[in-house]
């Protein structure tokens, strides 16, 4: 796969790059960012995937996430893809929580979304193959994290692929899309009305259906404006308790849903992943 370099900058002894390629999964050009720490000069490094939330691109975390110092300290490659396909001819919606910028990390089965909205395949298959072929990554040591819609993506992709990801965390994730307005709108639109088909995209349902992880880390701000109606971490807490999955749920007093919150605890998450991604 041919990759176009959009920018590369020296940072914390490593390189922060932004790249673009033609995706087979989405049928569009896709942009992603990669931070390669200085340790990569001496051999492959573990990789931490970061999935962004509604309305975001790769740029939000790249510019505001404050992960580079921690990744340079621990020798971790940080990959941040876009949240959906984009461009002329790609289906969209007038609302912010559907369409471009709101892919929900699903493979759509309903029109008009099916031609391009194949973010599950893109994140689980195509992009990892590209990263493995073009960057000095140790694919035996992968972790995944994300924020909000991306937290939902990190939890569900991690739980569905427990043999791939050694570590799974999230910031303010949509814990159960089957039980919140964002999820019901997106999953019905992309997948149709059969709620059984939605269970692959709900962390709590996946755990109820037998998915397991060695441990989960979630940070949630108590002043988050979406906490009660959309995020519902108590449902994830209950599912993990019933399944004996160790869950560290940090309720951060006074923090909201923004990157001020994420950047405050990003280094903690990187360190948590680093401990689990040791050779």
């Amino acid at each position: 796969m041919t990759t176009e370099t959009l920018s590369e900058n020296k940072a914390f002894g490593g390189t922060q790059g932004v790249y673009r390629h033609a995706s087979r999964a989405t049928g569009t050009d896709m942009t992603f960012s990669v931070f390669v720490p200085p340790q990569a000069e001496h051999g492959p490094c573990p990789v931490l995937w970061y999935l962004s939330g509604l309305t975001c691109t790769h740029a939000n975390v790249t510019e505001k996430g404050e992960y580079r110092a921690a990744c340079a300290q621990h020798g971790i490659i940080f990959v941040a893809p876009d949240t959906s396909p984009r461009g002329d001819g790609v289906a969209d919606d007038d609302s912010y929580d559907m369409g471009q910028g709101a892919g929900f990390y699903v493979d759509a089965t309903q029109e008009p979304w099916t031609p391009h909205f194949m973010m599950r395949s893109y994140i689980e298959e195509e992009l990892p193959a590209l990263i493995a072929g073009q960057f000095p990554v140790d694919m035996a040591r992968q972790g995944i994290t994300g924020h909000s819609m991306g937290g939902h993506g990190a939890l569900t992709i991690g739980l569905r692929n427990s043999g791939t990801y050694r570590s799974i965390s999230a910031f303010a994730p949509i814990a159960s899309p089957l039980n919140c307005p964002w999820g019901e709108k997106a999953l019905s639109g992309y997948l149709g009305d059969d709620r059984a088909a939605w269970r692959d995209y709900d962390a709590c349902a996946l755990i109820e259906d037998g998915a397991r992880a060695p441990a989960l880390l979630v940070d949630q701000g108590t002043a988050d404006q979406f906490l009660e109606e959309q995020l519902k971490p108590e449902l994830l807490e209950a599912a993990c308790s019933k399944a004996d999955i160790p869950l560290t749920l940090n309720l951060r007093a006074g923090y909201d849903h923004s990157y001020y919150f994420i950047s405050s605890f990003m280094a903690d998450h990187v360190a948590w992943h680093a401990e689990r991604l040791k050779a």
Side-chain angles (χ1 to χ4, degrees), residues 145-172:
T145 188
H147 169 235
S148 193
M149 179 186 73
H152 137 76
L155 292 174
T156 55
I157 289 171
L159 286 165
R160 285 197 308 263
N161 299 276
S162 59
T164 299
Y165 302 98
R166 290 193 189 181
S167 53
I168 307 166
S169 77
F171 298 90

PDB file of all heavy atoms in Angstrom, residues 145-172:
ATOM      1  N   THR A 145      -6.851   2.237  22.942  1.00  0.00           N
ATOM      2  CA  THR A 145      -7.573   3.162  23.805  1.00  0.00           C
ATOM      3  C   THR A 145      -8.377   4.102  22.916  1.00  0.00           C
ATOM      4  O   THR A 145      -8.271   4.078  21.687  1.00  0.00           O
ATOM      5  CB  THR A 145      -6.617   3.939  24.725  1.00  0.00           C
ATOM      6  OG1 THR A 145      -7.370   4.693  25.672  1.00  0.00           O
ATOM      7  CG2 THR A 145      -5.705   4.875  23.945  1.00  0.00           C
ATOM      8  N   GLY A 146      -9.192   4.952  23.537  1.00  0.00           N
ATOM      9  CA  GLY A 146      -9.980   5.897  22.760  1.00  0.00           C
ATOM     10  C   GLY A 146     -10.874   6.715  23.656  1.00  0.00           C
ATOM     11  O   GLY A 146     -10.976   6.473  24.860  1.00  0.00           O
ATOM     12  N   HIS A 147     -11.557   7.678  23.045  1.00  0.00           N
ATOM     13  CA  HIS A 147     -12.374   8.643  23.784  1.00  0.00           C
ATOM     14  C   HIS A 147     -13.798   8.642  23.260  1.00  0.00           C
ATOM     15  O   HIS A 147     -14.020   8.701  22.050  1.00  0.00           O
ATOM     16  CB  HIS A 147     -11.773  10.048  23.634  1.00  0.00           C
ATOM     17  CG  HIS A 147     -12.651  11.146  24.130  1.00  0.00           C
ATOM     18  ND1 HIS A 147     -13.019  12.226  23.353  1.00  0.00           N
ATOM     19  CD2 HIS A 147     -13.240  11.339  25.346  1.00  0.00           C
ATOM     20  CE1 HIS A 147     -13.795  13.034  24.058  1.00  0.00           C
ATOM     21  NE2 HIS A 147     -13.944  12.526  25.270  1.00  0.00           N
ATOM     22  N   SER A 148     -14.769   8.542  24.153  1.00  0.00           N
ATOM     23  CA  SER A 148     -16.184   8.696  23.826  1.00  0.00           C
ATOM     24  C   SER A 148     -16.607   7.644  22.794  1.00  0.00           C
ATOM     25  O   SER A 148     -16.572   6.457  23.070  1.00  0.00           O
ATOM     26  CB  SER A 148     -16.445  10.130  23.354  1.00  0.00           C
ATOM     27  OG  SER A 148     -17.815  10.407  23.308  1.00  0.00           O
ATOM     28  N   MET A 149     -17.004   8.061  21.582  1.00  0.00           N
ATOM     29  CA  MET A 149     -17.276   7.080  20.534  1.00  0.00           C
ATOM     30  C   MET A 149     -16.052   6.211  20.287  1.00  0.00           C
ATOM     31  O   MET A 149     -16.165   5.008  20.026  1.00  0.00           O
ATOM     32  CB  MET A 149     -17.690   7.788  19.241  1.00  0.00           C
ATOM     33  CG  MET A 149     -17.978   6.857  18.070  1.00  0.00           C
ATOM     34  SD  MET A 149     -18.285   7.744  16.524  1.00  0.00           S
ATOM     35  CE  MET A 149     -16.631   8.323  16.101  1.00  0.00           C
ATOM     36  N   GLY A 150     -14.872   6.813  20.378  1.00  0.00           N
ATOM     37  CA  GLY A 150     -13.642   6.040  20.229  1.00  0.00           C
ATOM     38  C   GLY A 150     -13.367   5.144  21.407  1.00  0.00           C
ATOM     39  O   GLY A 150     -12.721   4.103  21.273  1.00  0.00           O
ATOM     40  N   GLY A 151     -13.844   5.531  22.605  1.00  0.00           N
ATOM     41  CA  GLY A 151     -13.762   4.642  23.750  1.00  0.00           C
ATOM     42  C   GLY A 151     -14.630   3.420  23.544  1.00  0.00           C
ATOM     43  O   GLY A 151     -14.232   2.289  23.868  1.00  0.00           O
ATOM     44  N   HIS A 152     -15.828   3.635  22.994  1.00  0.00           N
ATOM     45  CA  HIS A 152     -16.679   2.503  22.580  1.00  0.00           C
ATOM     46  C   HIS A 152     -15.933   1.630  21.585  1.00  0.00           C
ATOM     47  O   HIS A 152     -15.924   0.395  21.709  1.00  0.00           O
ATOM     48  CB  HIS A 152     -17.984   3.039  21.968  1.00  0.00           C
ATOM     49  CG  HIS A 152     -18.435   2.338  20.739  1.00  0.00           C
ATOM     50  ND1 HIS A 152     -19.024   1.092  20.758  1.00  0.00           N
ATOM     51  CD2 HIS A 152     -18.358   2.701  19.423  1.00  0.00           C
ATOM     52  CE1 HIS A 152     -19.307   0.720  19.507  1.00  0.00           C
ATOM     53  NE2 HIS A 152     -18.904   1.675  18.694  1.00  0.00           N
ATOM     54  N   GLY A 153     -15.283   2.258  20.607  1.00  0.00           N
ATOM     55  CA  GLY A 153     -14.542   1.480  19.621  1.00  0.00           C
ATOM     56  C   GLY A 153     -13.407   0.694  20.236  1.00  0.00           C
ATOM     57  O   GLY A 153     -13.206  -0.482  19.917  1.00  0.00           O
ATOM     58  N   ALA A 154     -12.667   1.319  21.137  1.00  0.00           N
ATOM     59  CA  ALA A 154     -11.538   0.635  21.776  1.00  0.00           C
ATOM     60  C   ALA A 154     -12.013  -0.560  22.596  1.00  0.00           C
ATOM     61  O   ALA A 154     -11.423  -1.647  22.538  1.00  0.00           O
ATOM     62  CB  ALA A 154     -10.764   1.609  22.658  1.00  0.00           C
ATOM     63  N   LEU A 155     -13.075  -0.372  23.364  1.00  0.00           N
ATOM     64  CA  LEU A 155     -13.586  -1.473  24.193  1.00  0.00           C
ATOM     65  C   LEU A 155     -14.098  -2.619  23.329  1.00  0.00           C
ATOM     66  O   LEU A 155     -13.780  -3.791  23.584  1.00  0.00           O
ATOM     67  CB  LEU A 155     -14.706  -0.964  25.104  1.00  0.00           C
ATOM     68  CG  LEU A 155     -14.306   0.014  26.213  1.00  0.00           C
ATOM     69  CD1 LEU A 155     -15.550   0.539  26.916  1.00  0.00           C
ATOM     70  CD2 LEU A 155     -13.363  -0.644  27.222  1.00  0.00           C
ATOM     71  N   THR A 156     -14.883  -2.316  22.316  1.00  0.00           N
ATOM     72  CA  THR A 156     -15.479  -3.390  21.522  1.00  0.00           C
ATOM     73  C   THR A 156     -14.446  -4.085  20.641  1.00  0.00           C
ATOM     74  O   THR A 156     -14.438  -5.317  20.544  1.00  0.00           O
ATOM     75  CB  THR A 156     -16.634  -2.855  20.658  1.00  0.00           C
ATOM     76  OG1 THR A 156     -16.179  -1.762  19.841  1.00  0.00           O
ATOM     77  CG2 THR A 156     -17.779  -2.373  21.530  1.00  0.00           C
ATOM     78  N   ILE A 157     -13.560  -3.322  20.018  1.00  0.00           N
ATOM     79  CA  ILE A 157     -12.524  -3.942  19.187  1.00  0.00           C
ATOM     80  C   ILE A 157     -11.583  -4.761  20.062  1.00  0.00           C
ATOM     81  O   ILE A 157     -11.198  -5.876  19.720  1.00  0.00           O
ATOM     82  CB  ILE A 157     -11.770  -2.869  18.389  1.00  0.00           C
ATOM     83  CG1 ILE A 157     -12.681  -2.296  17.300  1.00  0.00           C
ATOM     84  CG2 ILE A 157     -10.494  -3.434  17.767  1.00  0.00           C
ATOM     85  CD1 ILE A 157     -12.122  -1.083  16.594  1.00  0.00           C
ATOM     86  N   GLY A 158     -11.222  -4.218  21.223  1.00  0.00           N
ATOM     87  CA  GLY A 158     -10.348  -4.960  22.127  1.00  0.00           C
ATOM     88  C   GLY A 158     -10.985  -6.244  22.632  1.00  0.00           C
ATOM     89  O   GLY A 158     -10.340  -7.301  22.668  1.00  0.00           O
ATOM     90  N   LEU A 159     -12.253  -6.178  23.011  1.00  0.00           N
ATOM     91  CA  LEU A 159     -12.940  -7.364  23.525  1.00  0.00           C
ATOM     92  C   LEU A 159     -13.165  -8.405  22.432  1.00  0.00           C
ATOM     93  O   LEU A 159     -13.083  -9.607  22.700  1.00  0.00           O
ATOM     94  CB  LEU A 159     -14.275  -6.953  24.147  1.00  0.00           C
ATOM     95  CG  LEU A 159     -14.183  -6.242  25.503  1.00  0.00           C
ATOM     96  CD1 LEU A 159     -15.503  -5.558  25.837  1.00  0.00           C
ATOM     97  CD2 LEU A 159     -13.785  -7.228  26.602  1.00  0.00           C
ATOM     98  N   ARG A 160     -13.456  -7.957  21.228  1.00  0.00           N
ATOM     99  CA  ARG A 160     -13.665  -8.918  20.130  1.00  0.00           C
ATOM    100  C   ARG A 160     -12.367  -9.581  19.697  1.00  0.00           C
ATOM    101  O   ARG A 160     -12.390 -10.650  19.075  1.00  0.00           O
ATOM    102  CB  ARG A 160     -14.298  -8.213  18.923  1.00  0.00           C
ATOM    103  CG  ARG A 160     -15.765  -7.890  19.059  1.00  0.00           C
ATOM    104  CD  ARG A 160     -16.378  -7.590  17.695  1.00  0.00           C
ATOM    105  NE  ARG A 160     -15.628  -6.596  16.965  1.00  0.00           N
ATOM    106  CZ  ARG A 160     -15.926  -5.297  16.925  1.00  0.00           C
ATOM    107  NH1 ARG A 160     -16.980  -4.845  17.587  1.00  0.00           N
ATOM    108  NH2 ARG A 160     -15.197  -4.452  16.234  1.00  0.00           N
ATOM    109  N   ASN A 161     -11.238  -8.935  19.970  1.00  0.00           N
ATOM    110  CA  ASN A 161      -9.939  -9.424  19.495  1.00  0.00           C
ATOM    111  C   ASN A 161      -8.967  -9.525  20.671  1.00  0.00           C
ATOM    112  O   ASN A 161      -7.874  -8.970  20.643  1.00  0.00           O
ATOM    113  CB  ASN A 161      -9.387  -8.474  18.434  1.00  0.00           C
ATOM    114  CG  ASN A 161     -10.280  -8.361  17.228  1.00  0.00           C
ATOM    115  OD1 ASN A 161     -10.222  -9.179  16.309  1.00  0.00           O
ATOM    116  ND2 ASN A 161     -11.129  -7.334  17.207  1.00  0.00           N
ATOM    117  N   SER A 162      -9.368 -10.288  21.674  1.00  0.00           N
ATOM    118  CA  SER A 162      -8.578 -10.358  22.905  1.00  0.00           C
ATOM    119  C   SER A 162      -7.199 -10.959  22.680  1.00  0.00           C
ATOM    120  O   SER A 162      -6.267 -10.690  23.448  1.00  0.00           O
ATOM    121  CB  SER A 162      -9.330 -11.161  23.966  1.00  0.00           C
ATOM    122  OG  SER A 162      -9.598 -12.478  23.502  1.00  0.00           O
ATOM    123  N   GLY A 163      -7.033 -11.747  21.637  1.00  0.00           N
ATOM    124  CA  GLY A 163      -5.725 -12.300  21.349  1.00  0.00           C
ATOM    125  C   GLY A 163      -4.790 -11.328  20.661  1.00  0.00           C
ATOM    126  O   GLY A 163      -3.579 -11.576  20.572  1.00  0.00           O
ATOM    127  N   THR A 164      -5.319 -10.207  20.200  1.00  0.00           N
ATOM    128  CA  THR A 164      -4.527  -9.206  19.496  1.00  0.00           C
ATOM    129  C   THR A 164      -4.027  -8.114  20.428  1.00  0.00           C
ATOM    130  O   THR A 164      -2.880  -7.671  20.329  1.00  0.00           O
ATOM    131  CB  THR A 164      -5.350  -8.572  18.363  1.00  0.00           C
ATOM    132  OG1 THR A 164      -5.722  -9.593  17.429  1.00  0.00           O
ATOM    133  CG2 THR A 164      -4.562  -7.489  17.640  1.00  0.00           C
ATOM    134  N   TYR A 165      -4.889  -7.673  21.352  1.00  0.00           N
ATOM    135  CA  TYR A 165      -4.575  -6.524  22.202  1.00  0.00           C
ATOM    136  C   TYR A 165      -4.282  -6.987  23.628  1.00  0.00           C
ATOM    137  O   TYR A 165      -5.123  -7.597  24.280  1.00  0.00           O
ATOM    138  CB  TYR A 165      -5.737  -5.536  22.199  1.00  0.00           C
ATOM    139  CG  TYR A 165      -6.074  -5.049  20.815  1.00  0.00           C
ATOM    140  CD1 TYR A 165      -7.118  -5.627  20.092  1.00  0.00           C
ATOM    141  CD2 TYR A 165      -5.327  -4.040  20.205  1.00  0.00           C
ATOM    142  CE1 TYR A 165      -7.419  -5.203  18.808  1.00  0.00           C
ATOM    143  CE2 TYR A 165      -5.621  -3.607  18.921  1.00  0.00           C
ATOM    144  CZ  TYR A 165      -6.668  -4.196  18.228  1.00  0.00           C
ATOM    145  OH  TYR A 165      -6.958  -3.783  16.958  1.00  0.00           O
ATOM    146  N   ARG A 166      -3.100  -6.664  24.101  1.00  0.00           N
ATOM    147  CA  ARG A 166      -2.724  -6.999  25.471  1.00  0.00           C
ATOM    148  C   ARG A 166      -3.355  -6.062  26.486  1.00  0.00           C
ATOM    149  O   ARG A 166      -3.445  -6.410  27.669  1.00  0.00           O
ATOM    150  CB  ARG A 166      -1.205  -6.931  25.631  1.00  0.00           C
ATOM    151  CG  ARG A 166      -0.426  -8.011  24.927  1.00  0.00           C
ATOM    152  CD  ARG A 166       1.006  -7.985  25.447  1.00  0.00           C
ATOM    153  NE  ARG A 166       1.893  -8.849  24.698  1.00  0.00           N
ATOM    154  CZ  ARG A 166       3.177  -9.003  24.986  1.00  0.00           C
ATOM    155  NH1 ARG A 166       3.709  -8.348  26.011  1.00  0.00           N
ATOM    156  NH2 ARG A 166       3.934  -9.795  24.264  1.00  0.00           N
ATOM    157  N   SER A 167      -3.749  -4.880  26.057  1.00  0.00           N
ATOM    158  CA  SER A 167      -4.241  -3.871  26.990  1.00  0.00           C
ATOM    159  C   SER A 167      -5.335  -3.046  26.331  1.00  0.00           C
ATOM    160  O   SER A 167      -5.260  -2.719  25.143  1.00  0.00           O
ATOM    161  CB  SER A 167      -3.106  -2.975  27.464  1.00  0.00           C
ATOM    162  OG  SER A 167      -2.396  -2.417  26.364  1.00  0.00           O
ATOM    163  N   ILE A 168      -6.379  -2.711  27.124  1.00  0.00           N
ATOM    164  CA  ILE A 168      -7.538  -1.974  26.630  1.00  0.00           C
ATOM    165  C   ILE A 168      -7.898  -0.912  27.661  1.00  0.00           C
ATOM    166  O   ILE A 168      -8.073  -1.217  28.838  1.00  0.00           O
ATOM    167  CB  ILE A 168      -8.757  -2.900  26.428  1.00  0.00           C
ATOM    168  CG1 ILE A 168      -8.417  -4.106  25.549  1.00  0.00           C
ATOM    169  CG2 ILE A 168      -9.920  -2.120  25.831  1.00  0.00           C
ATOM    170  CD1 ILE A 168      -9.478  -5.204  25.598  1.00  0.00           C
ATOM    171  N   SER A 169      -8.019   0.338  27.206  1.00  0.00           N
ATOM    172  CA  SER A 169      -8.466   1.395  28.100  1.00  0.00           C
ATOM    173  C   SER A 169      -9.369   2.346  27.331  1.00  0.00           C
ATOM    174  O   SER A 169      -9.524   2.241  26.107  1.00  0.00           O
ATOM    175  CB  SER A 169      -7.278   2.148  28.712  1.00  0.00           C
ATOM    176  OG  SER A 169      -6.706   3.062  27.790  1.00  0.00           O
ATOM    177  N   ALA A 170      -9.984   3.295  28.064  1.00  0.00           N
ATOM    178  CA  ALA A 170     -10.871   4.252  27.415  1.00  0.00           C
ATOM    179  C   ALA A 170     -11.032   5.491  28.286  1.00  0.00           C
ATOM    180  O   ALA A 170     -10.950   5.420  29.514  1.00  0.00           O
ATOM    181  CB  ALA A 170     -12.233   3.625  27.139  1.00  0.00           C
ATOM    182  N   PHE A 171     -11.289   6.616  27.616  1.00  0.00           N
ATOM    183  CA  PHE A 171     -11.658   7.858  28.269  1.00  0.00           C
ATOM    184  C   PHE A 171     -13.136   8.121  27.977  1.00  0.00           C
ATOM    185  O   PHE A 171     -13.533   8.218  26.805  1.00  0.00           O
ATOM    186  CB  PHE A 171     -10.837   9.030  27.725  1.00  0.00           C
ATOM    187  CG  PHE A 171      -9.353   8.922  27.956  1.00  0.00           C
ATOM    188  CD1 PHE A 171      -8.531   8.297  27.023  1.00  0.00           C
ATOM    189  CD2 PHE A 171      -8.775   9.448  29.099  1.00  0.00           C
ATOM    190  CE1 PHE A 171      -7.156   8.205  27.216  1.00  0.00           C
ATOM    191  CE2 PHE A 171      -7.402   9.362  29.307  1.00  0.00           C
ATOM    192  CZ  PHE A 171      -6.597   8.735  28.372  1.00  0.00           C
ATOM    193  N   ALA A 172     -13.944   8.206  29.008  1.00  0.00           N
ATOM    194  CA  ALA A 172     -15.371   8.546  28.866  1.00  0.00           C
ATOM    195  C   ALA A 172     -16.038   7.787  27.721  1.00  0.00           C
ATOM    196  O   ALA A 172     -16.635   8.397  26.832  1.00  0.00           O
ATOM    197  CB  ALA A 172     -15.528  10.055  28.682  1.00  0.00           C
TER     198      ALA A 172
END
